[in-house]
Amino acid sequence: YPGIEPHVLTTTLPPESARDFDISIRRGLKGWSDAMQVSAFIEDDVCLVMSPAFQAKYGVTDPGALAGLTLLRSKSRKGDWEAWLEHVGIDGVRPVGQMQFDHVHFVLQAVEDGLGFAIVPFSLISHDVALGRLCCPLPDMRLPVTRYYYGVSPNATPEARYFIAWLEKELARQASSGRVTG
């Protein structure tokens, strides 16, 4: 639909009302307007990520090796490191250093630049992992996180409904290829 021009608003705040937009995609079931028709979208997990060059240099094969490295963190996903450690059953691993960024996208750029490692949602890095820009050296050590949902306003435009149809088709395509779970 080349004639449709979407207007994208990004925020970490919950949607206030269904009349402000046609479609919302966000994690969890809290904060949705009762007017929105909410559907399950993507299941996700967080995992350890670093650049291939960083992995080649440090050869991380177990969580203990992370103690000598720099952790890159995001203010918007503060608790992922501790939750991941607890989930994988590791206690007492403290990185030699930490750098904190305002948003996870800045963290990912720093990871790609080889400044350290991070614990991030796989949904944000799957494309970069597939292209070899990033790697997950401990692929079996993933922490499930709150799934994504999408909500559609009762007054959604036909263009928004075309987008939802495309979104569901894309999700099915990726699920059949094993790249994303829905």
Side-chain angles (χ1 to χ4, degrees):
Y1 300 98
I4 297 174
E5 293 183 26
H7 298 272
V8 179
L9 170 68
T10 62
T11 180
T12 57
L13 301 174
E16 295 286 325
S17 70
R19 68 178 182 275
D20 294 338
F21 44 82
D22 291 326
I23 301 165
S24 177
I25 300 172
R26 59 190 304 267
R27 288 188 192 273
L29 289 170
K30 293 181 183 176
W32 289 95
S33 164
D34 291 337
M36 298 289 282
Q37 177 186 347
V38 179
S39 300
F41 187 36
I42 298 173
E43 291 182 310
D44 203 1
D45 47 40
V46 294
C47 61
L48 173 69
V49 66
M50 57 187 59
S51 71
F54 194 87
Q55 169 62 1
K57 182 175 181 179
Y58 295 105
V60 173
T61 57
D62 66 84
L66 301 172
L69 306 176
T70 300
L71 170 63
L72 306 174
R73 300 180 82 144
S74 166
K75 288 181 183 178
S76 63
R77 299 201 54 90
K78 294 179 204 176
D80 285 351
W81 168 247
E82 292 78 10
W84 181 81
L85 284 174
E86 183 178 334
H87 180 74
V88 300
I90 305 300
D91 190 28
V93 174
R94 288 184 173 60
V96 70
Q98 295 187 37
M99 295 175 69
Q100 187 175 50
F101 300 84
D102 286 334
H103 198 277
V104 72
H105 295 299
F106 297 130
V107 170
L108 293 175
Q109 184 61 56
V111 168
E112 193 172 325
D113 291 343
L115 299 179
F117 72 92
I119 304 296
V120 297
F122 190 74
S123 63
L124 297 179
I125 62 167
S126 62
H127 185 71
D128 291 312
V129 170
L131 293 176
R133 288 192 289 243
L134 298 174
C135 67
C136 299
L138 305 174
D140 296 331
M141 295 184 168
R142 293 186 179 199
L143 167 66
V145 292
T146 305
R147 89 175 293 143
Y148 281 100
Y149 293 84
Y150 68 87
V152 181
S153 166
N155 303 323
T157 63
E159 292 85 358
R161 298 202 185 274
Y162 296 144
F163 175 78
I164 290 299
W166 170 83
L167 193 66
E168 289 175 347
K169 184 178 175 182
E170 182 64 15
L171 179 62
R173 184 185 69 76
Q174 289 187 15
S176 70
S177 72
R179 289 180 34 206
V180 175
T181 56

